Amino acid sequence: MGNVLSFGELLLRLSPDTEGQWLANASLPVHVGGAELNVARALALWNIPVKYCTGLPDNYLSQQLVKQLQEWKIDTSAIQYGGHRIGIYYLPQGLDVKNAGVIYDRADSSFARLQKGTINWDALLEGVSWFHLSAICPALNADAADVCAEVMQVCNKKGITVSIDLNYRAKLWQYGVPVHQVMMRLAPYCDVIMGNVWAAEKMLQIPVHPDLVTTDTKEMYLEQALVTSKAIIKQYPRCKAVANTFRFDHKGILYYTTLYTNEQLHVSQVYTTETVIDKVGSGDCYMAGLIYGFYNKQAPQEILEFATAAAFQKLFIKGDATNKTVEEIKASIKK
């Protein structure tokens, strides 16, 4: 196996408190993140060789960030330099990026300015066996979507495994093309698709049973996961595995996931908690867990349980990425 290459925008998350005390304190917590970087950080921590490709301006702030990435054992040689700004988003501490409280400041960032035909993918993909990106990349603008399609096509020609996270961010899809048109153009290039049944409905036009929310039973959700997973694989024959997460936030968190591969639906243990430190990056940690398991050729149930436990543990860690080792995650898996 070669390197994993994670492709996406590096973001600075500014986390004001909800009361505005940060103004009086003249202090605003900053976390380095972005969905694909969160995946890369987890994999590097778990000793998977990982490269990260993003766009950054050529200035001292980027140099500091790149140095930090290198300290996290991430190969930064694929980073593209150009443009003038780093993407930012604001999210009050403890909230989720799907929450109405998120404010994006990413227009005209160095990553958003990347253009098709300007990156030497043949060179960057040398020694790479797995390529990962998320639906946040093509959400930025039409150019970003074209770059995603371009690199995924090269990966397919080279026999590189491609994974995508169908994370839907309504505030980002603002450039006039329906989300499903973009995502249904990219899905045929994917070997592993992760998300949830509602994201698959929104992005891939795979319907969810109308009674799903009102019925609200685990049996019904698992039945929908099976239907959605089968439909994705039928629609996109290249895809060999579909993962769905179920996270419900009422009176705490209820969390479990599924993995459909080789015509079998695997279901994880169920995790619950009433206390959450930081919801950001939990799904990214799950995606990293899937890649870790497939990379190491583990059995599907083993892959699923590790990824689920990793994602659940992330809820108790401040910041965008996990700091838990493989051993610590394995020790936390429900028996």
Side-chain angles (χ1 to χ4, degrees):
M1 295 292 282
N3 291 298
V4 174
L5 178 64
S6 201
F7 173 69
E9 182 166 21
L10 183 150
L11 292 169
L12 299 179
R13 169 165 62 116
L14 306 185
S15 292
D17 60 281
T18 49
E19 289 77 38
Q21 189 60 38
W22 65 274
L23 288 162
N25 297 343
S27 176
L28 191 58
V30 179
H31 301 284
V32 180
E36 298 81 8
L37 178 56
N38 298 340
V39 171
R41 283 182 63 181
L43 292 172
L45 179 64
W46 303 335
N47 295 312
I48 300 292
V50 63
K51 295 170 75 172
Y52 179 56
C53 180
T54 192
L56 290 174
D58 191 2
N59 59 30
Y60 74 87
L61 189 60
S62 295
Q63 290 166 11
Q64 292 175 352
L65 288 164
V66 169
K67 185 181 177 189
Q68 180 62 73
L69 265 59
Q70 290 167 350
E71 289 178 6
W72 287 329
K73 299 194 297 181
I74 296 169
D75 182 339
T76 59
S77 62
I79 291 176
Q80 306 294 300
Y81 293 95
H84 303 289
R85 66 183 305 252
I86 297 166
I88 294 170
Y89 73 104
Y90 302 82
L91 185 73
Q93 193 65 45
L95 293 185
D96 192 1
V97 282
K98 293 183 278 290
N99 189 281
V102 66
I103 300 170
Y104 290 109
D105 182 15
R106 303 172 64 171
D108 205 36
S109 68
S110 293
F111 184 84
R113 288 168 61 97
L114 292 177
Q115 299 275 323
K116 180 181 175 183
T118 61
I119 299 172
N120 185 348
W121 291 116
D122 280 321
L124 288 193
L125 293 167
E126 190 68 40
V128 170
S129 63
W130 190 296
F131 177 83
H132 174 68
L133 79 168
S134 82
I136 294 174
C137 292
L140 293 178
N141 55 44
D143 285 335
D146 287 343
V147 172
C148 291
E150 178 184 48
V151 61
M152 292 163 90
Q153 288 165 10
V154 177
C155 287
N156 282 188
K157 286 175 187 167
K158 289 179 172 289
I160 295 168
T161 300
V162 176
S163 60
I164 195 164
D165 180 353
L166 300 180
N167 34 17
Y168 178 62
R169 303 287 182 264
K171 287 187 176 182
L172 289 179
W173 288 94
Q174 300 293 332
Y175 59 94
V177 182
V179 56
H180 69 271
Q181 280 189 20
V182 178
M183 295 310 298
M184 290 173 77
R185 179 163 69 105
L186 300 179
Y189 304 114
C190 299
D191 300 272
V192 178
I193 295 177
M194 172 238 157
N196 61 55
V197 296
W198 298 279
E201 180 177 55
K202 183 76 180 176
M203 295 183 157
L204 303 179
Q205 300 276 278
I206 293 167
V208 166
H209 196 286
D211 296 340
L212 191 65
V213 174
T214 51
T215 308
D216 191 32
T217 65
K218 185 184 177 189
E219 291 72 24
M220 188 87 167
Y221 289 124
L222 294 182
E223 187 179 316
Q224 183 63 59
L226 181 61
V227 170
T228 296
S229 300
K230 283 182 173 180
I232 288 174
I233 285 177
K234 184 180 180 183
Q235 204 163 298
Y236 306 106
R238 186 181 182 89
C239 183
K240 301 298 184 289
V242 177
N244 282 291
T245 62
F246 294 92
R247 193 179 86 190
F248 303 101
D249 302 22
H250 31 235
K251 296 178 182 173
I253 298 267
L254 172 71
Y255 187 74
Y256 56 91
T257 77
T258 65
L259 177 62
Y260 182 81
T261 188
N262 298 322
E263 299 184 356
Q264 187 175 351
L265 185 74
H266 302 267
V267 182
S268 77
Q269 296 286 341
V270 178
Y271 293 83
T272 58
T273 180
E274 292 184 3
T275 57
V276 173
I277 307 273
D278 200 332
K279 294 176 183 175
V280 175
S282 174
D284 305 327
C285 197
Y286 179 80
M287 186 73 240
L290 292 180
I291 296 172
Y292 177 85
F294 281 114
Y295 187 95
N296 287 307
K297 297 181 169 56
Q298 294 174 348
Q301 193 67 38
E302 187 181 358
I303 294 171
L304 182 66
E305 296 295 0
F306 178 82
T308 307
F312 184 71
Q313 288 299 312
K314 172 61 194 70
L315 297 172
F316 310 107
I317 299 166
K318 188 176 278 193
D320 286 39
T322 189
N323 58 17
K324 296 290 184 185
T325 64
V326 169
E327 291 72 26
E328 289 171 322
I329 291 164
K330 285 183 175 177
S332 76
I333 295 173
K334 263 191 171 183
K335 298 297 183 280

